Amino acid sequence: MAACNSSSICSSIRSPERIRHIHRPLSLISSSNVCLLRRDALSVSAGRMVACFASKDWALPRIAAGSAPAMVPAQQEAEARVSTVVEVGLGNRSYPIYIGSGLLDVPDLLQRHVAGKRVLVVTNTSIAPLYLERVVEALTNGNSNISVDSVILPDGEKYKNMETMMQVFDKAIKSRMDRRCTFVALGGGVIGDLCGFAAATYVRGVNFIQIPTTLMAQVDSSVGGKTGINHPHAKNMIGAFYQPQCVLIDTDTLNTLPDRELASGIAEIVKYGLIRDADFFEWQEKNMHALLARDPNALAYAIKRSCENKAEVVSLDEKESGLRATLNLGHTFGHAIEAGFGYGQWLHGEAVAAGMVMAVEMSYRLGWIDGTIVERVLNILKQAKLPTSPPEMMTVELFKAAMAVDKKVADGVLRLILLKGPIGGCVFTADFDQKALDDTLLAFCRR
Amino acid sequence: MAACNSSSICSSIRSPERIRHIHRPLSLISSSNVCLLRRDALSVSAGRMVACFASKDWALPRIAAGSAPAMVPAQQEAEARVSTVVEVGLGNRSYPIYIGSGLLDVPDLLQRHVAGKRVLVVTNTSIAPLYLERVVEALTNGNSNISVDSVILPDGEKYKNMETMMQVFDKAIKSRMDRRCTFVALGGGVIGDLCGFAAATYVRGVNFIQIPTTLMAQVDSSVGGKTGINHPHAKNMIGAFYQPQCVLIDTDTLNTLPDRELASGIAEIVKYGLIRDADFFEWQEKNMHALLARDPNALAYAIKRSCENKAEVVSLDEKESGLRATLNLGHTFGHAIEAGFGYGQWLHGEAVAAGMVMAVEMSYRLGWIDGTIVERVLNILKQAKLPTSPPEMMTVELFKAAMAVDKKVADGVLRLILLKGPIGGCVFTADFDQKALDDTLLAFCRR
């Protein structure tokens, strides 16, 4: 396994005809000086199988199919010094995902993506005391032209609604934000989705930066431009596809994340393995203890590989005409749990975990996967202390009512993401035996 | 002035390098049979200077710079038999504007643009009794696959808000509208803007058809994809650029339009003349009596030429990076009146008329136009019985407060559309003497 240096071009490309794999020093993709980054080394990659490191003093294995870092001390030390940039390739709407430790303290990373002079930071009551001041400092440091306002929203999924979004608009208008302003989402998935939707619709669209502070947001919701809010009867029912200017992931923010939130994010990491990345799933099986112990290298690797998977899928199918739907494994069941149980009762990843178990069970009932996969999924989710069945109050009727208005319904027909074949394979289909769905719902609602 | 027949290609192109001028039988741009149209003849044009008629039995002059139909009886009879299609050229998001008498009774015009099986018609309490049944009939005639639901909203600008839009979402979810559904806006500008924004954001975007029933909506708001709702302090502050599948203009719907609403639409027609089409302005000066008397030919011509102007501008600058802003002549002052006076107190076109007078007066104070233009603008608006000054309650402070949050403000600097040179010329600029603005506000707020 050869390491590559900063001047080499790595090109392990899964879908060469459509995805842009960019692999070059950051200085080539930005006019800003790469030295402003406090990390020693940078890599820029798109897709899932490429990683490069610039320093000549050490070498990390290139991460490719069948390989994963073994987390030995020397490599841990090296990786701790690395910032990774994953590029989401969407033509003239492409953008970088910066991943690294201490990135909140790198003013130029944020400032290069602020187009106008006015910034509105949207955050919540839990995150504001921890990081708002640092983000405002990073936005304004050395740049007296930029004025920053902020709006601090209540924390939780139950506030991801139109009423809360109006608070953002009220503040934006009061602060005289104009069409050249930038909205910055500082927080978890709720803040990112809501702020992104506000940015998409304020004066018909303003600049937008994502600073995800939860594992859930870092590995999934901040990447790919899905924004939106909940309707009382259906999750994420109102929204827009709207891409950010950049996603800035400071992995240090995970230090303040409650255990339950950490586990919630792990559910989405497991998802990537199941739907398209068997090697990553195997790595997770071996390293779940490290993730739960918040080993920074393990977390950084899981975030990077998750973002690479997501970036590749989004580049191929931004508006979810097909492939992108596979990122919703377990989500149809999960969204039903969130809406039925009440938004915020369970975290999103908790509902998705239970939903994935149901989708896996249904796949097994259809004869599409063998029993060992069911066991491995149950095991890894239990290890992460995630739920493996829906809350007791969920009935077949509640599931069916919510699933009838799922966004993946087309012309009245429900389509589901189900596993098929070995781990890493899945299908998005309406072509399944309805009895398998009914039996699955019955089985889980009896428990 | 040569007339052209259906097989000829007219190519009077103003901006040949950028705009797509399409001029061909409708059958070439649609798989549906052109015979399904009940009009005798069809023309398809993009841009402003092209019009063709298919019948060999008569000939209308080609409408080009310096020419306008003189509304002689023979031509009136001929034009009454013509349906026009203006194409808005936006690449793979291009769409037709159908203009004609009796188009609500042509099922295939609507049905060809309905992608899925479910349709939600969004209309209001004034329009529903007049046209809802006919539209439902047109959508379902001969097609039992399509199911139609409708939501009837209160009528008026003051209901163009988030609360009313939630009623659309509530109905859509209750009716189990899925991502393949189609929203149909049946009504004036408020319905079109609100329904369009709902379509842009329901499950992150569904199909959308505009059926404008007011002159304002037919000549302006239904074309070009600007959708949105008002914030209590600023008009159209929340919205999206979202293009419809088609715009269907049945000119017969103007028969039920109150006089005040008709005049409101005329304000936007006057605008097109002032900012870019001197010949059209001269035609209006000569034919205002015919427009006010609802002469169908005059109205059809004004609608067509307005749509051609708008289509050309939108094709060149969809997201309003510059040129498109010129369509907002008088709107910065007008929006201030609407927000300051209270939404719905004045109709949009009434506020725009007063706003245009203010913009023209300011242009004159800057020395950019001569006094005869000021007089001609005052005369034509008075002839249309439109206001030529703001309501008495408007103060300089109210204007300034609203203008500070105008969507055309960038980095804190207000930009205005002002006339310059002969009629048909305008600029979108922040480079003006502030004193001219202050003096203009003082002059109009003292009256």
Side-chain angles (χ1 to χ4, degrees):
Chain A
M1 185 61 58
C4 52
N5 63 43
S6 60
S7 63
S8 74
I9 303 294
C10 296
S11 58
S12 171
I13 297 176
R14 197 175 185 186
S15 308
E17 70 285 1
R18 290 202 52 198
I19 193 166
R20 289 172 50 216
H21 275 246
I22 297 159
H23 198 267
R24 54 198 172 176
L26 186 61
S27 53
L28 291 182
I29 61 162
S30 167
S31 59
S32 302
N33 193 325
V34 70
C35 298
L36 295 167
L37 278 166
R38 300 196 316 185
R39 302 299 106 196
D40 297 326
L42 276 165
S43 75
V44 179
S45 68
R48 58 187 284 256
M49 301 193 198
V50 181
C52 263
F53 306 99
S55 168
K56 290 181 178 174
D57 299 326
W58 44 266
L60 277 177
R62 181 169 144 215
I63 299 152
S67 76
M71 293 297 151
V72 296
Q75 285 178 351
Q76 286 175 349
E77 188 187 346
E79 185 133 8
R81 300 168 65 208
V82 172
S83 288
T84 300
V85 184
V86 178
E87 173 113 346
V88 183
L90 289 167
N92 60 6
R93 289 172 295 107
S94 297
Y95 56 91
I97 308 167
Y98 303 111
I99 306 169
S101 160
L103 299 191
L104 282 189
D105 301 315
V106 186
D108 288 84
L109 267 188
L110 281 175
Q111 289 185 19
R112 74 176 62 163
H113 295 286
V114 173
K117 296 176 179 172
R118 298 183 180 194
V119 177
L120 181 67
V121 180
V122 179
T123 186
N124 67 33
T125 49
S126 305
I127 296 301
L130 298 170
Y131 302 116
L132 178 56
E133 199 175 322
R134 276 172 68 193
V135 167
V136 173
E137 165 65 19
L139 284 163
T140 54
N141 186 293
N143 190 342
S144 58
N145 279 333
I146 293 184
S147 72
V148 181
D149 286 272
S150 61
V151 56
I152 300 171
L153 305 173
D155 185 11
E157 183 81 28
K158 68 178 171 177
Y159 299 106
K160 186 175 157 182
N161 57 29
M162 197 65 89
E163 194 182 345
T164 310
M165 198 164 79
M166 282 304 284
Q167 293 182 39
V168 178
F169 293 134
D170 291 345
K171 181 67 183 184
I173 287 178
K174 199 174 168 191
S175 309
R176 300 198 172 171
M177 294 289 152
D178 59 43
R179 61 173 47 176
R180 293 201 70 217
C181 76
T182 301
F183 283 16
V184 174
L186 173 66
V190 171
I191 288 293
D193 285 8
L194 188 146
C195 175
F197 187 38
T201 56
Y202 183 69
V203 299
R204 298 196 186 94
V206 295
N207 273 347
F208 165 47
I209 290 172
Q210 287 267 22
I211 308 182
T213 59
T214 64
L215 188 59
M216 165 62 66
Q218 292 176 354
V219 299
D220 190 21
S221 63
S222 72
V223 175
K226 277 195 179 179
T227 71
I229 55 176
N230 300 329
H231 184 275
H233 301 308
K235 189 172 158 87
N236 293 339
M237 210 63 182
I238 306 160
F241 288 97
Y242 197 69
Q243 302 295 342
Q245 307 298 306
C246 77
V247 181
L248 187 138
I249 299 175
D250 185 337
T251 50
D252 294 354
T253 58
L254 300 180
N255 296 336
T256 55
L257 195 67
D259 285 344
R260 204 179 144 192
E261 295 266 6
L262 188 84
S264 176
I266 288 173
E268 298 284 4
I269 294 172
V270 169
K271 172 195 77 180
Y272 292 116
L274 287 176
I275 61 167
R276 68 193 315 268
D277 193 343
D279 299 314
F280 188 27
F281 186 79
E282 283 166 23
W283 178 87
Q284 293 164 31
E285 290 182 313
K286 290 176 193 145
N287 291 279
M288 186 54 74
H289 60 286
L291 290 173
L292 294 169
R294 301 181 192 230
D295 176 306
N297 299 326
L299 285 170
Y301 175 72
I303 292 165
K304 182 177 76 69
R305 189 124 174 187
S306 296
C307 287
E308 286 166 350
N309 270 296
K310 181 129 187 195
E312 183 168 312
V313 171
V314 169
S315 297
L316 292 165
D317 178 23
E318 183 187 10
K319 297 284 179 72
E320 195 165 311
S321 50
L323 175 68
R324 184 168 180 167
T326 61
L327 295 172
N328 275 322
L329 173 70
H331 283 56
T332 298
F333 298 102
H335 287 170
I337 292 169
E338 287 182 89
F341 198 24
Y343 294 123
Q345 294 292 314
W346 271 13
L347 296 173
H348 175 60
E350 293 170 337
V352 166
M356 285 197 294
V357 174
M358 295 175 76
V360 169
E361 166 98 7
M362 182 172 158
S363 307
Y364 176 70
R365 284 174 186 268
L366 287 163
W368 294 357
I369 56 172
D370 70 42
T372 60
I373 293 178
V374 181
E375 286 311 307
R376 287 172 73 186
V377 172
L378 280 170
N379 284 341
I380 199 166
L381 294 176
K382 282 178 180 167
Q383 207 186 336
K385 299 187 178 59
L386 284 161
T388 53
S389 61
E392 286 192 5
M393 53 71 62
M394 285 300 292
T395 62
V396 172
E397 289 67 36
L398 273 173
F399 268 110
K400 289 199 167 176
M403 292 165 84
V405 291
D406 185 271
K407 285 196 300 305
K408 282 177 288 299
V409 172
D411 282 339
V413 178
L414 177 66
R415 298 172 298 171
L416 288 172
I417 297 95
L418 297 164
L419 299 191
K420 205 162 195 173
I423 278 181
C426 69
V427 289
F428 173 46
T429 184
D431 190 15
F432 52 77
D433 184 353
Q434 180 67 33
K435 188 173 179 301
L437 174 57
D438 292 340
D439 290 349
T440 301
L441 291 177
L442 274 171
F444 280 92
C445 293
R446 272 201 207 117
R447 289 182 190 186
Chain B
M1 184 62 55
C4 54
N5 63 43
S6 61
S7 62
S8 74
I9 302 294
C10 299
S11 57
S12 171
I13 296 176
R14 198 176 184 185
S15 309
E17 70 286 2
R18 290 202 51 196
I19 192 164
R20 288 173 51 218
H21 275 246
I22 296 159
H23 198 269
R24 54 197 170 176
L26 186 62
S27 53
L28 291 182
I29 62 163
S30 167
S31 58
S32 300
N33 193 325
V34 72
C35 298
L36 295 168
L37 279 165
R38 300 196 316 185
R39 302 299 106 197
D40 297 325
L42 276 166
S43 75
V44 178
S45 68
R48 57 187 284 254
M49 301 193 199
V50 181
C52 264
F53 305 97
S55 168
K56 291 178 179 175
D57 300 327
W58 43 266
L60 277 177
R62 182 170 142 213
I63 301 154
S67 76
M71 292 296 151
V72 297
Q75 286 179 350
Q76 286 176 349
E77 188 190 344
E79 184 134 8
R81 300 169 63 208
V82 173
S83 287
T84 299
V85 184
V86 178
E87 173 113 345
V88 183
L90 289 166
N92 60 7
R93 289 172 295 108
S94 296
Y95 56 93
I97 307 167
Y98 303 111
I99 306 169
S101 161
L103 299 192
L104 282 188
D105 300 316
V106 186
D108 287 85
L109 268 189
L110 281 175
Q111 289 185 19
R112 74 175 64 162
H113 295 286
V114 173
K117 295 176 180 172
R118 298 182 180 195
V119 178
L120 181 67
V121 180
V122 179
T123 187
N124 67 35
T125 48
S126 305
I127 297 299
L130 298 169
Y131 302 116
L132 179 55
E133 198 175 322
R134 276 171 69 192
V135 168
V136 173
E137 165 66 18
L139 285 163
T140 53
N141 186 292
N143 191 342
S144 58
N145 279 333
I146 293 183
S147 71
V148 182
D149 286 272
S150 61
V151 56
I152 299 171
L153 305 172
D155 185 11
E157 182 82 28
K158 67 178 172 178
Y159 299 105
K160 187 175 156 181
N161 56 29
M162 198 65 89
E163 194 181 345
T164 310
M165 198 164 80
M166 282 304 285
Q167 293 182 41
V168 178
F169 293 134
D170 290 345
K171 180 67 183 184
I173 287 178
K174 199 174 168 190
S175 308
R176 299 197 172 173
M177 295 288 152
D178 60 43
R179 60 173 48 176
R180 292 202 70 217
C181 76
T182 301
F183 282 17
V184 175
L186 173 65
V190 171
I191 287 293
D193 285 7
L194 188 146
C195 174
F197 187 37
T201 56
Y202 184 69
V203 298
R204 298 197 186 92
V206 296
N207 272 348
F208 166 46
I209 290 173
Q210 288 266 21
I211 308 181
T213 59
T214 64
L215 187 59
M216 165 62 67
Q218 292 177 355
V219 299
D220 190 22
S221 64
S222 71
V223 175
K226 276 195 180 179
T227 72
I229 55 176
N230 300 330
H231 184 274
H233 301 309
K235 189 171 158 88
N236 294 338
M237 209 63 182
I238 306 161
F241 288 98
Y242 197 70
Q243 303 294 343
Q245 307 299 305
C246 76
V247 181
L248 187 139
I249 299 175
D250 186 336
T251 51
D252 294 355
T253 57
L254 300 180
N255 296 335
T256 55
L257 195 67
D259 286 344
R260 204 178 144 193
E261 294 267 7
L262 189 83
S264 175
I266 288 174
E268 297 285 5
I269 294 172
V270 170
K271 173 195 75 181
Y272 292 116
L274 287 177
I275 60 167
R276 68 193 315 268
D277 193 344
D279 300 314
F280 188 27
F281 186 79
E282 284 167 23
W283 178 88
Q284 293 165 30
E285 290 182 311
K286 290 177 193 144
N287 291 280
M288 186 55 73
H289 60 285
L291 289 173
L292 294 169
R294 302 182 192 230
D295 177 305
N297 299 326
L299 284 170
Y301 175 72
I303 293 166
K304 183 177 76 69
R305 188 122 172 188
S306 297
C307 286
E308 286 167 348
N309 270 296
K310 180 128 188 197
E312 183 169 311
V313 172
V314 169
S315 296
L316 291 166
D317 179 23
E318 182 187 9
K319 298 283 179 74
E320 196 165 309
S321 50
L323 176 67
R324 184 168 181 168
T326 62
L327 295 172
N328 275 320
L329 174 70
H331 284 56
T332 298
F333 299 102
H335 288 171
I337 293 169
E338 287 182 89
F341 199 23
Y343 294 123
Q345 293 292 315
W346 271 14
L347 296 174
H348 175 61
E350 294 170 336
V352 165
M356 284 196 295
V357 174
M358 295 175 77
V360 168
E361 165 101 5
M362 182 173 158
S363 307
Y364 175 69
R365 285 175 185 268
L366 287 163
W368 293 357
I369 57 172
D370 70 42
T372 60
I373 293 178
V374 181
E375 286 310 307
R376 287 172 74 186
V377 172
L378 280 170
N379 285 341
I380 199 168
L381 295 176
K382 282 177 180 167
Q383 205 185 339
K385 300 187 178 59
L386 283 161
T388 53
S389 60
E392 287 191 5
M393 52 70 63
M394 286 299 292
T395 61
V396 172
E397 290 65 38
L398 273 173
F399 269 110
K400 288 200 166 176
M403 291 164 84
V405 291
D406 185 271
K407 287 197 298 303
K408 282 177 287 302
V409 172
D411 282 339
V413 178
L414 177 65
R415 298 173 297 171
L416 288 172
I417 297 95
L418 297 164
L419 299 192
K420 205 163 195 173
I423 278 182
C426 69
V427 289
F428 173 47
T429 183
D431 190 13
F432 53 76
D433 184 353
Q434 180 68 32
K435 188 171 179 303
L437 174 57
D438 291 340
D439 289 349
T440 302
L441 291 177
L442 275 171
F444 280 90
C445 292
R446 271 200 208 119
R447 289 182 189 184

